[in-house]
Amino acid sequence: LPPEEVQERLAALGLSSASSIYQSVAAALAAARREGLPVLVCGSLFLVGEARALLLENAADYQSSWQ
């Protein structure tokens, strides 16, 4: 599904403020880190692989922001 459609479906469930759309995985992870939010990665294995690589690359930074 396109990200806009996912947002529409979340809004229909009353979760409109629970999602944001970013142009890259790195931008999404950076925003989540700045805001201290959990991350849910949905999509292809390529997308999840990219997110995983970025998270592992910066694991110490992310872990310290969770505490």
Side-chain angles (χ1 to χ4, degrees):
L1 296 173
E4 295 80 11
E5 188 172 337
V6 173
Q7 272 193 323
E8 288 173 11
R9 291 182 183 202
L10 288 170
L13 296 171
L15 300 171
S16 59
S17 64
S19 68
S20 300
I21 298 172
Y22 294 92
Q23 294 302 311
S24 70
V25 175
L29 293 176
R33 182 169 180 253
R34 275 193 312 274
E35 297 173 23
L37 299 173
V39 176
L40 172 64
V41 179
C42 301
S44 69
L45 290 177
F46 294 104
L47 177 71
V48 173
E50 181 181 352
R52 182 180 185 275
L54 289 167
L55 288 167
L56 290 175
E57 191 175 287
N58 299 303
D61 293 337
Y62 283 103
Q63 287 175 351
S64 66
S65 70
W66 296 334
Q67 297 173 358

